[in-house]
Amino acid sequence: MTDEPDVELEARLEEQDSFEPPEEFVEQANVTDPGIYEEFEENWPDAWEQAADLLDWDDEWDEVLVEEDAPFYEWFVGGELNAAYNCVDRHVENGRKNQAAIRWEGELGETRTYTYQDLYREVNEFAAALRDLGVEEDDVVTLYMPMIPELPIAMLACARIGAPHSVVFAGFSADALATRMNSADSEYLVTCDGYYRRGDALNHKEKADEGLRGVEHEVEDIVVVDRLGDKLTHFLGANYHDYDELVDDHDGERVEPVSRDAEDMLFLMYTSGTTGQPKGVKHTTGGYLSYAAWTSHAVLDIEPEDTYWCSADIGWITGHSYIVYGPLALGTTTMMYEGTPDYPEKDRLWEIVEKNAVDIFYTAPTAIRSFMKWGKEHLEGRDLSSLRLLGTVGEPINPRAWKWYYKHVGDESCPVVDTWWQTETGGMMVTTLPGVNEMKPGSAGPGLPGVDAKVIHPDKEEVEPGQAGHLTVQKPWPGMLRTLYQNDERFVQEYWEEYSDPDSDEWIYFPEDGAKVDEDDYITVLGRVDDVLNVSGHRLGTMEIESAIVGVPGVAEAAVVGGDHEVKGEAVYVYAITEEGTDGDEDLRERVVDNVEDAIGPIARPEEIVFTPELPKTRSGKIMRRLLEDIANGDELGNTSTLRNPDIVDDIQQRVSDD
Ligand code: 6R9
């Protein structure tokens, strides 16, 4: 880190490796009884009813869990409910219509507040508009939108009429949008004209239009939100609609929320896997919403009167579960911020916390490492005393960053929850309960009550404390993905095949993370064991990036690995073989970068590109990625004798140090 080391913090906190939850916090916490672990164990799976009981159901479930078709589990079977009703209507009915539901801060400083009544009104109007356009129950609606209130409104409008949404992160490229719309056969798109980033207005619609050109089926309708206020006149056809006009045309209309089966799809969310094709993770209405609400209650300690802020983007699962569905199901005030944390100044987030008296703040380790780098002086002028709980998610947090967060943001009076989970798990899985457990910086904690997380060897035995192994989950949970969209086979292959034994009906979920465990069953997640990188907490498939690179004329082959990065955690390192007669020059480098950004988005931008005549390969022809990682990190190289071409290693090292 480049800032002055905080001597006092170092001295006092460095040695400390566990922290008790602050008493003041425990006194008011939602969950404080350590017996909850036993309760779930003894009363499993019925204990999960306490998650479902946080919601209002149109029809009670007949069975909590049906395992007949494992690993295609079903939860709260026979139950019926509507997610939008649970996130909006019931709070209006319960006399809380004037409470703020969404508080939004634009990057330039504008603010908008939607009370639950406002939200109710606009969700209904947009739901009516979608219906009018022809959207029917079970049609997938793609939402390609940045952090503006119309995004959660569109999600809830879809949920109201039983149309699953598929949100595509606004930072993704036109190609990525097309791939996802094609995969989901999605015939409807909601997008916007543009948004602000570091003070610049970005043209988003141009990207959306370009993406639409790559969609292979007919797209029925495109709705465009006017974020920038300069009404776009360049709609490309009669099937383009202005969001405000649609909502005005349906002024005051009401749409009865559709009763959905607990197992009906609430949404699809695409995530990166080991192959080039992103995976469409399917989440359901009953299990997912119960799980998002339950974990928001038990781990984030959300109360209706709180102002809660998760600084993720709704385009990722964290935003789905912990900006939109969990917090709104509990009827709290959820914050949204459009912009970047250092615009216009590096204290922007703390300004927002102070101004809104935020109670709970949930962010990513990569953000915390940036705050550390910028220096604590950016927090010092701000009153952060409203904060009660801090959380992190997305990647492992190093103890130093954890302690910095605890001390400088939380003033040693807020518990920090380090929450391990995935797009596929729907919600948090491994974390401390802030009102129950002590915290150990760097270690996420035990599996949540009812979550059977175990770290195992290849022989399926649990590892000894301190040893590394694979993280697994050995019992189903309500928030779990049900399948990969239209690909049951890949679902079984990706998550269950490694450790399950179908013959004895033993099903073990493998999230593709390495981990170790200590004597108190606290799990430290070490990172992915597959070819997926975690750049600033975002999952990127190396295959996806490699295929974008070999698409550049002049590049014959490419290998992408993760190199250590001070702020991003991991960064994209590219080793590429050029074709005969092509120079690995600046021009080619630029074309590689452009192609990666076009195929995926700026988040996948390579940190380093090394052109080489060969890649180190084993005798069976496999690229030795470990070795390339070690070279990227300047680490001691392991044994290279199994290589078919050991001489190339020195050569590549030379090229790296020449750069
Ligand atoms: C929610 C989310 C999932 C992957 C996951 C793991 C990493 C997430 C973590 C963590 C260590 C934590 N990860 N939280 N690693 N400690 N607290 O991030 O979902 O985008 O699907 O990423 O992120 O490697 O497998 P997703």
Side-chain angles (χ1 to χ4, degrees):
M1 297 293 147
T2 52
D3 62 337
E4 282 277 303
D6 185 328
V7 180
E8 176 225 2
L9 167 75
E10 297 291 302
R12 188 152 54 82
L13 297 183
E14 198 181 357
E15 293 302 302
Q16 195 174 342
D17 47 21
S18 78
F19 294 78
E20 288 300 327
E23 236 167 73
E24 226 179 301
F25 178 86
V26 177
E27 275 164 21
Q28 60 75 58
N30 287 339
V31 177
T32 52
D33 179 6
I36 191 168
Y37 289 95
E38 226 175 271
E39 182 191 333
F40 266 81
E41 206 164 313
E42 282 171 7
N43 193 20
W44 198 93
D46 293 347
W48 283 114
E49 293 191 335
Q50 56 189 293
D53 282 341
L54 291 171
L55 306 178
D56 282 1
W57 295 72
D58 301 336
D59 235 330
E60 276 275 310
W61 53 92
D62 307 314
E63 271 182 276
V64 173
L65 170 66
V66 172
E67 305 192 69
E68 224 162 82
D69 239 350
F72 299 92
Y73 295 95
E74 296 178 293
W75 284 89
F76 308 119
V77 178
E80 286 186 14
L81 76 167
N82 182 281
Y85 175 84
N86 273 282
C87 291
V88 187
D89 303 39
R90 62 172 179 156
H91 308 310
V92 172
E93 289 167 11
N94 291 340
R96 306 207 2 269
K97 63 183 166 54
N98 292 329
Q99 184 182 326
I102 297 175
R103 222 187 271 256
W104 175 83
E105 292 258 349
E107 198 187 62
L108 303 184
E110 322 102 287
T111 58
R112 275 199 252 165
T113 300
Y114 289 76
T115 62
Y116 275 97
Q117 178 65 30
D118 297 332
L119 192 60
Y120 174 72
R121 187 183 172 95
E122 196 156 324
V123 166
N124 269 284
E125 289 166 349
F126 193 51
L130 288 175
R131 264 224 182 128
D132 239 19
L133 292 176
V135 179
E136 290 180 4
E137 203 175 335
D138 293 320
D139 285 347
V140 176
V141 178
T142 301
L143 309 178
Y144 185 41
M145 295 160 91
M147 288 291 281
I148 53 176
E150 289 81 357
L151 173 53
I153 289 168
M155 291 163 78
L156 293 165
C158 288
R160 193 167 192 88
I161 60 173
H165 52 71
S166 164
V167 178
V168 178
F169 173 54
F172 274 144
S173 67
D175 281 2
L177 171 65
T179 311
R180 285 157 180 75
M181 286 187 77
N182 284 328
S183 163
D185 289 320
S186 175
E187 296 176 344
Y188 299 91
L189 174 69
V190 185
T191 184
C192 77
D193 56 348
Y195 57 103
Y196 291 100
R197 263 300 169 278
R198 292 184 204 284
D200 293 330
L202 300 190
N203 188 335
H204 188 62
K205 178 158 173 302
E206 203 172 75
K207 247 182 7 173
D209 286 336
E210 194 190 323
L212 285 166
R213 283 193 279 275
V215 178
E216 287 149 8
H217 53 269
E218 189 145 345
V219 176
E220 298 285 338
D221 292 284
I222 300 116
V223 179
V224 185
V225 175
D226 175 21
R227 157 72 185 110
L228 300 179
D230 51 355
K231 290 270 176 237
L232 287 172
T233 46
H234 51 282
F235 284 3
L236 297 183
N239 59 348
Y240 276 74
H241 313 271
D242 177 76
Y243 175 91
D244 292 327
E245 274 174 32
L246 282 185
V247 166
D248 284 348
D249 287 349
H250 293 83
D251 187 36
E253 284 182 33
R254 298 286 175 263
V255 174
E256 197 53 34
V258 172
S259 253
R260 296 280 281 168
D261 232 66
E263 281 296 306
D264 279 343
M265 171 157 58
L266 178 60
F267 66 85
L268 266 181
M269 165 116 257
Y270 282 87
T271 187
S272 295
T274 23
T275 70
Q277 197 62 20
K279 307 185 276 197
V281 169
K282 175 185 159 181
H283 281 296
T284 59
T285 312
Y288 169 84
L289 195 63
S290 301
Y291 201 72
W294 163 247
T295 46
S296 296
H297 167 83
V299 183
L300 294 173
D301 199 51
I302 291 178
E303 290 283 357
E305 46 285 342
D306 285 332
T307 298
Y308 158 84
W309 186 18
C310 164
S311 73
D313 192 293
I314 294 175
W316 307 101
I317 192 69
T318 301
H320 277 53
S321 302
Y322 300 113
I323 297 177
V324 183
Y325 285 113
L328 292 178
L330 298 182
T332 197
T333 302
T334 185
M335 298 278 315
M336 282 178 75
Y337 172 51
E338 176 186 42
T340 40
D342 56 349
Y343 189 86
E345 299 296 337
K346 294 191 171 70
D347 66 348
R348 185 57 193 272
L349 300 192
W350 317 122
E351 181 202 341
I352 295 176
V353 169
E354 179 180 67
K355 195 168 99 190
N356 295 282
V358 170
D359 298 275
I360 301 164
F361 182 62
Y362 190 34
T363 193
T366 183
I368 297 167
R369 291 191 298 264
S370 295
F371 307 150
M372 288 172 75
K373 201 171 164 184
W374 297 338
K376 65 179 191 309
E377 58 273 20
H378 298 287
L379 293 86
E380 278 165 352
R382 297 289 175 188
D383 178 4
L384 307 181
S385 60
S386 58
L387 289 169
R388 173 172 99 240
L389 174 81
L390 301 173
T392 80
V393 57
E395 50 179 319
I397 181 163
N398 46 310
R400 197 170 128 73
W402 191 102
K403 289 175 184 177
W404 193 93
Y405 192 37
Y406 178 73
K407 159 100 178 142
H408 294 295
V409 182
D411 196 26
E412 296 178 67
S413 63
C414 304
V416 174
V417 285
D418 171 3
T419 61
W420 176 88
W421 60 290
Q422 307 181 294
T423 304
E424 292 86 342
T425 68
M428 301 159 177
M429 299 289 280
V430 176
T431 168
T432 51
L433 286 170
V436 175
N437 313 107
E438 64 170 14
M439 303 162 269
K440 301 185 189 184
S443 175
L448 277 174
V451 171
D452 191 16
K454 289 198 170 84
V455 183
I456 62 173
H457 291 299
D459 63 7
K460 297 198 231 181
E461 289 298 310
E462 283 187 63
V463 298
E464 295 296 319
Q467 264 186 352
H470 283 168
L471 180 57
T472 59
V473 185
Q474 309 215 351
K475 278 196 190 113
W477 64 100
M480 67 198 302
L481 80 164
R482 295 303 191 267
T483 191
L484 293 175
Y485 193 58
Q486 293 178 339
N487 206 339
D488 289 349
E489 207 178 313
R490 190 170 172 202
F491 166 69
V492 177
Q493 256 168 24
E494 294 261 354
Y495 305 106
W496 304 94
E497 220 153 59
E498 186 92 13
Y499 288 113
S500 302
D501 179 9
D503 293 335
S504 56
D505 211 21
E506 175 195 53
W507 295 98
I508 296 177
Y509 175 84
F510 178 40
E512 309 255 9
D513 272 318
K516 52 184 196 174
V517 68
D518 72 6
E519 51 294 332
D520 299 323
D521 288 332
Y522 274 49
I523 293 170
T524 297
V525 179
L526 300 168
R528 306 281 309 184
V529 296
D530 57 2
D531 295 330
V532 171
L533 307 185
N534 190 330
V535 178
S536 301
H538 301 317
R539 259 162 84 170
L540 299 173
T542 51
M543 284 277 289
E544 276 173 84
I545 306 174
E546 284 165 10
S547 71
I549 297 170
V550 295
V552 177
V555 175
E557 200 179 346
V560 166
V561 299
D564 297 341
H565 190 280
E566 195 188 16
V567 173
K568 298 178 187 171
E570 249 182 335
V572 175
Y573 276 70
V574 175
Y575 299 87
I577 304 181
T578 49
E579 277 169 359
E580 282 288 332
T582 303
D583 279 339
D585 55 12
E586 260 331 289
D587 181 50
L588 188 62
R589 217 173 279 269
E590 254 169 55
R591 278 186 286 137
V592 167
V593 169
D594 287 349
N595 241 42
V596 171
E597 292 201 356
D598 287 349
I600 300 157
I603 45 166
R605 190 187 168 90
E607 189 75 24
E608 197 78 66
I609 300 170
V610 180
F611 292 112
T612 164
E614 277 176 55
L615 290 167
K617 288 191 178 164
T618 61
R619 282 178 216 284
S620 61
K622 278 190 136 185
I623 299 171
M624 281 270 271
R625 286 166 193 283
R626 278 268 161 261
L627 197 66
L628 292 172
E629 260 169 43
D630 290 344
I631 296 174
N633 295 332
D635 288 345
E636 191 78 33
L637 302 187
N639 186 356
T640 55
S641 65
T642 55
L643 287 181
R644 176 200 284 175
N645 51 352
D647 295 344
I648 196 63
V649 176
D650 279 348
D651 189 47
I652 295 179
Q653 272 183 316
Q654 197 56 49
R655 284 164 196 267
V656 173
S657 53
D658 285 352
D659 271 346

